[in-house]
């Protein structure tokens, strides 16, 4: 691998490694976004290949990728490559075409984008490439769509293995591969390949899985290659800043630590670019506070900080030094009063 992004020195702070998705910083130049995340104290970035951030369709992709790699190295940021840009291939239809499209040329366009993402990931030293299945096209049933999807993923796996890159497919609500059971179906169809991992969006677990988000983490632990996190409400697929939904965050972080997950935990707020810098600041404060009170199941809470409410942004009293990202005097951080949203 030629890049420096994935080989950044480990963070001096112990615990989980947090990142922020560039799809939530679409109003910033990529260089400014990386500098912001480094200044805030993030460990990495979820880099969505899109027209405003490392456009995968523009000329000189290799040269531009090398420049991004130098910026990642300068700021000490690890990276995962994400491919969820809404209109990067089709300016009129969101997330089209997909690997399910009945037109072979259209499927080929999506596959070519993913192959470019693999090459970018290899050059940056990214720890994973994220992708998704897409929704069923009109007049196409699941019986027809699954072989199309599996064949495309098989071709992508071959390229990823050759490049030394891990793949991380994301179950998306409403997609053919829409939950953890569908992920296992894909693995079984492809013969349980080692190179096929999972992007687990914790909010999606709350949205549609019958198990709790922390149970989903434990069930998915052997295949976790990337984790996305945000607040969400049961049954509603809407990415929310922490404190605006129903996600009980500390048990999720405890489950990730219990699983010894070492990849990035990426905040995913694609509809909040209008307030991206503030949202990124508040999200990291929230997560570090939540992690400070996260404990494995059955652990005693005596003598520790209390977490007030599953969806409240107030993390309770502190018993140790103030978080370096927060108020050095240990006072309540902006936007973290009881019931207040971080942004």
């Amino acid at each position: 691998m030629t890049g420096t992004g994935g080989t950044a020195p480990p963070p001096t702070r112990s615990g989980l490694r947090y990142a922020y998705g560039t799809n939530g910083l679409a109003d910033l130049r990529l260089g400014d976004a990386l500098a912001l995340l480094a200044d805030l104290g993030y460990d990495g970035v979820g880099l969505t290949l899109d027209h405003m951030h490392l456009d995968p369709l523009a000329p000189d992709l290799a040269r531009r990728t090398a420049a991004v790699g130098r910026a990642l190295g300068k700021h000490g940021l690890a990276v995962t490559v994400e491919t969820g840009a809404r209109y990067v291939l089709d300016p009129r239809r969101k997330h089209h075409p997909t690997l399910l499209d009945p037109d072979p040329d259209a499927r080929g366009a999506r596959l070519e984008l993913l192959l470019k993402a693999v090459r970018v990931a290899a050059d940056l030293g990214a720890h994973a490439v994220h992708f998704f299945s897409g929704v069923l096209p009109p007049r196409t049933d699941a019986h027809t769509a699954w072989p199309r999807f599996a064949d495309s993923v098989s071709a992508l796996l071959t390229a990823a293995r050759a490049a030394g890159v891990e793949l991380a497919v994301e179950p998306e609500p409403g997609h053919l591969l829409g939950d953890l059971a569908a992920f296992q179906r894909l693995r079984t169809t492809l013969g349980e390949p080692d190179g096929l991992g999972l992007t687990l969006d914790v909010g999606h677990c709350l949205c549609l899985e019958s198990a709790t988000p922390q149970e989903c983490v434990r069930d998915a632990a052997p295949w976790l290659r990337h984790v996305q996190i945000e607040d969400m409400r049961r049954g509603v697929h809407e990415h929310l800043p922490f404190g605006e939904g129903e996600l009980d965050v500390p048990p999720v972080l405890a489950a990730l630590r219990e699983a010894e997950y070492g990849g990035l935990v990426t905040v995913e707020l694609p509809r909040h670019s209008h307030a991206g810098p503030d949202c990124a600041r508040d999200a990291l404060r929230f997560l570090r506070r939540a992690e400070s009170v996260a404990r494995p199941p059955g652990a005693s809470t005596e003598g520790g900080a209390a977490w007030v409410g599953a969806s409240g942004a107030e993390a309770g009293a502190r018993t140790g030094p103030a978080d370096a990202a927060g108020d050095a005097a240990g006072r309540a951080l902006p936007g973290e009063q009881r019931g207040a949203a971080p942004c």
Side-chain angles (χ1 to χ4, degrees):
M1 296 182 184
T2 60
T4 57
T7 56
T12 56
R13 180 185 59 83
S14 62
L16 297 170
R17 298 195 301 157
Y18 296 113
Y20 199 88
T22 59
N23 59 2
L25 298 170
D27 294 322
L28 275 67
R29 298 177 183 87
L30 181 55
D32 292 338
L34 298 180
L36 168 74
L37 297 181
D39 289 346
L40 290 174
Y42 278 94
D43 304 303
V45 59
L47 174 58
T48 296
L49 303 184
D50 207 346
H51 65 89
M52 79 293 287
H53 293 151
L54 195 55
D55 187 345
L57 304 185
D60 298 325
L61 179 59
R63 177 187 58 79
R64 291 182 290 112
T65 299
V68 172
R70 290 191 293 271
L72 290 167
K74 172 185 174 182
H75 294 299
L77 294 171
V79 62
T80 187
V81 172
E82 306 206 15
T83 61
R86 294 185 181 98
Y87 297 101
V88 68
L89 291 178
D90 187 329
R92 292 174 174 82
R93 296 187 301 164
K94 179 181 175 182
H95 292 154
H96 280 271
T98 74
L99 296 177
L100 312 180
D101 201 293
D103 180 355
D105 291 339
R107 291 200 304 275
R110 174 61 62 173
L111 181 57
E112 179 57 30
L113 174 68
L114 296 176
L115 293 172
K116 286 184 178 181
V118 166
R119 293 194 289 272
V120 168
D123 288 345
L124 295 180
H127 73 86
V129 169
H130 150 280
F131 70 105
F132 55 84
S133 67
V135 301
L136 283 174
R139 299 178 296 280
T140 301
D141 59 27
H143 180 76
T144 302
W146 270 107
R148 292 176 186 164
F149 185 49
D151 288 348
S152 294
V153 174
S154 180
L156 185 61
L157 272 168
T158 298
R161 288 193 192 101
V165 171
E166 295 278 355
L167 296 181
V169 64
E170 180 184 6
E172 276 278 355
H175 284 211
L176 176 70
L177 197 152
D179 55 21
L180 292 176
F183 167 69
Q184 293 298 347
R185 175 176 177 174
L186 178 63
R187 288 188 65 253
T188 300
T189 299
L190 295 176
E192 302 185 353
D194 291 337
L196 180 63
L198 178 70
T199 291
L200 184 69
D201 188 309
V202 176
H204 293 174
C205 296
L206 182 65
C207 175
L208 56 81
E209 299 280 358
S210 59
T212 66
Q214 56 267 32
E215 289 169 340
C216 289
V217 169
R218 297 185 190 106
D219 292 344
W223 304 283
L224 283 184
R225 299 297 178 268
H226 185 46
V227 171
Q228 296 172 346
I229 192 167
E230 67 284 316
D231 215 338
M232 201 167 286
R233 299 186 182 97
R234 171 64 65 181
V236 181
H237 185 203
E238 182 183 3
H239 292 234
L240 300 171
F242 297 112
E244 294 188 11
E246 301 170 2
L247 182 66
D248 192 2
V249 177
V252 171
L253 302 184
L256 288 169
R257 292 177 62 168
E258 181 185 9
E260 298 182 348
Y261 172 70
L264 294 176
V265 180
T266 302
V267 178
E268 187 80 358
L269 291 174
R271 297 183 183 275
H272 288 76
S273 286
H274 65 282
D278 289 342
C279 286
R281 177 199 64 208
D282 294 340
L284 185 58
R285 289 174 172 177
F286 185 98
L287 287 168
R288 286 185 174 173
R289 183 80 66 85
E291 188 179 359
S292 74
V293 299
R295 292 175 176 81
S300 171
T301 60
E302 183 177 355
W307 183 258
V308 181
S311 62
E314 169 63 62
R318 300 183 187 191
T319 58
D323 190 318
D327 185 340
R331 293 184 293 274
L333 296 168
E336 290 193 322
Q337 290 78 23
R338 183 190 302 270
C343 61

